[in-house]
Amino acid sequence: MSNQIQLTSENIQQVLAEQNQDKLILLTFFSAQNPDCMAQADILKSLASSYESHILVATVDCDMQQALASQLAQQIGLQALPTLVLLKNGAPVDMLPGAQSEDDIKKALAEHLPKPEILLLDQAKQALADEDLNTAFAFAKQAYDIDANNTRVKLVLANICIQIQKLDDAQALLDSVTETEQDAYFQNLHAKLEQAKQAQESPEIKMLSAALESEPENDDIKLKLANVLAEAGKKEEALALLLSILKRDMNFMSAKQDFLEIISSLPSGDTLAVSYRRKLYSLLY
């Protein structure tokens, strides 16, 4: 269900009184004849997307719903268009008359919405549901940077780290969870992490590692081992092997392409990606 609704005399009681009691309602008075209303409508559309789980934008079209608009205007003392009224549990908690910037509205929302880290966590969960792991990681990491002691944030971030094969980071997050907070979700993640670790010790990795020990300068073995390591989530080891190949031969088979693909698979701003991208540039330039 969309969190943007056009109010009418038929649905207003249901929208404002019966539904969405878990959301902050942004009641906005709108007229297509007013440029400020049009501009604010675009802002509210963006905010509705950003705060999807927490707000409902309910629009009164003053051109199309004149009787309803007049009735509500008298009740709240409407003096300007646009006007934004914030309602919580069916009661007004704030009113913003006149044109408002996005920052102005966000400041008002911050007074009545969950903490920023919880909002970011919700965005991370939505990105996870959309199978956008890198975006999910970015949101969850921001939430963790705000409150590194929040166990729910730790667990969601650990879950994402397991899925993008940042297993050392996932282990550190799970290790920081106190025993009293190790719930069923924690136990599930702990089991997933152990399974992921076991996958990193495959027979093929062991075989190629042994072969490389016998022939430490064999770039063909290095390339094969690097690809297997990357698939198992050992991306730092894979990048190190590929870089050692590129230092000797920048055009060796698929080494450069594989190197770049591993970097692109890492989350935006990841320290490992930044470090190895710089190392590659130093070879190129």
Side-chain angles (χ1 to χ4, degrees), residues 225-239:
L225 179 56
N227 285 324
V228 175
L229 287 170
E231 289 178 5
K234 293 188 172 184
K235 296 185 179 181
E236 185 169 7
E237 293 178 40
L239 287 169

Side-chain angles (χ1 to χ4, degrees), residues 3-68:
N3 64 331
Q4 298 182 73
I5 293 178
Q6 293 289 327
L7 286 183
T8 66
S9 55
E10 288 77 21
N11 71 5
I12 185 169
Q13 290 300 322
Q14 182 183 23
V15 171
L16 300 186
E18 298 176 15
Q19 293 184 349
N20 307 298
Q21 293 304 305
D22 58 334
K23 291 185 178 182
L24 182 68
I25 297 177
L26 277 60
L27 175 62
T28 175
F29 290 83
F30 168 87
S31 170
Q33 311 302 315
N34 186 310
D36 288 338
C37 288
M38 298 295 290
Q40 188 156 296
D42 290 336
I43 293 173
L44 293 174
K45 181 178 180 180
S46 174
L47 291 174
S49 176
S50 299
Y51 298 87
E52 185 174 1
S53 300
H54 298 281
I55 69 171
L56 170 74
V57 176
T59 300
V60 179
D61 189 325
C62 297
D63 302 323
M64 303 296 294
Q65 301 288 332
Q66 294 183 9
L68 177 62

Side-chain angles (χ1 to χ4, degrees), residues 182-213:
Q182 294 178 9
D183 58 8
Y185 184 39
F186 171 91
Q187 299 299 338
N188 177 263
L189 292 179
H190 187 270
K192 286 173 63 176
L193 179 58
E194 291 305 311
Q195 290 176 356
K197 284 182 176 180
Q198 290 173 14
Q200 289 190 332
E201 303 301 329
S202 69
E204 188 175 9
I205 290 176
K206 292 178 180 179
M207 181 186 71
L208 287 170
S209 296
L212 188 59
E213 281 188 28

